[in-house]
Amino acid sequence: MAGRQKYALRQDLGDYFIPYVPSQKTMKTGIRVAWTYAIAAVWAINGLYCKILDLVPRHREIVARILGEANAGWITRAIGVLELLMAVWVISGLHRKLNVRVQVLVIMTMNLLEFLLAPDLLLFGRMNIVVAALFCMMLLAWGKATSPRSIPKT
């Protein structure tokens, strides 16, 4: 009977109207998940929209400049498929440390080649390398924040 009285007292005090405030751990987990999906979205959009569907011809033109016009179409689509696979890998969370290293290596290699061989085709010209470096720094921070050691045990 005492339990029912306690419950009735809670209803009378208006506990049902207290807003839900997530814990700090829940907030951090939510931010990690949001960043994971944001990074995956960068890869998926660039892979599908820009390369596979060829809706941003500049990407094919960059590949043509670096690897030759004859193979630009299929190589650009192949790169797009690999970028989609990178998005899946990011979301999977498998081998996060290796994933971050591969992403940084791919981004910096690709941007260095573009910087040297096709700067006039880049969205921000030679400043693209700065944008790429900032994205890589964000990837490294994300990799550190989502490593198993940084996630508290429940």
Side-chain angles (χ1 to χ4, degrees):
M1 210 55 180
R4 287 186 184 181
Q5 288 173 346
K6 190 175 183 182
Y7 181 73
L9 181 62
R10 284 184 154 187
Q11 273 185 322
D12 293 339
L13 292 176
D15 267 355
Y16 292 112
F17 299 103
I18 296 173
Y20 171 70
V21 179
S23 68
Q24 190 174 8
K25 180 183 171 197
T26 303
M27 293 282 284
K28 287 181 180 178
T29 302
I31 291 169
R32 287 182 182 112
V33 170
W35 274 107
T36 298
Y37 280 99
I39 292 165
V42 169
W43 288 106
I45 290 167
N46 275 291
L48 181 64
Y49 182 80
C50 299
K51 295 185 178 78
I52 294 173
L53 298 176
D54 198 24
L55 295 174
V56 182
R58 182 173 43 82
H59 290 268
R60 186 180 18 82
E61 293 168 8
I62 292 169
V63 172
R65 172 89 52 92
I66 295 170
L67 300 173
E69 186 65 45
N71 297 318
W74 74 266
I75 291 175
T76 303
R77 285 189 298 279
I79 292 169
V81 169
L82 292 172
E83 288 181 348
L84 281 177
L85 291 174
M86 181 68 79
V88 171
W89 188 13
V90 167
I91 291 170
S92 77
L94 295 173
H95 307 288
R96 180 64 43 91
K97 206 177 213 181
L98 177 63
N99 178 272
V100 170
R101 289 176 181 169
V102 170
Q103 287 184 75
V104 170
L105 179 67
V106 166
I107 290 168
M108 291 313 292
T109 301
M110 174 184 66
N111 278 276
L112 186 59
L113 285 170
E114 293 168 350
F115 179 85
L116 296 172
L117 303 172
D120 57 307
L121 296 174
L122 298 176
L123 187 61
F124 302 112
R126 292 194 185 270
M127 287 301 291
N128 244 45
I129 198 101
V130 174
V131 174
L134 291 172
F135 187 68
C136 287
M137 284 190 271
M138 189 271 308
L139 283 172
L140 293 168
W142 167 75
K144 179 85 172 141
T146 57
S147 70
R149 285 189 205 147
S150 69
I151 300 173
K153 303 261 192 268
T154 55

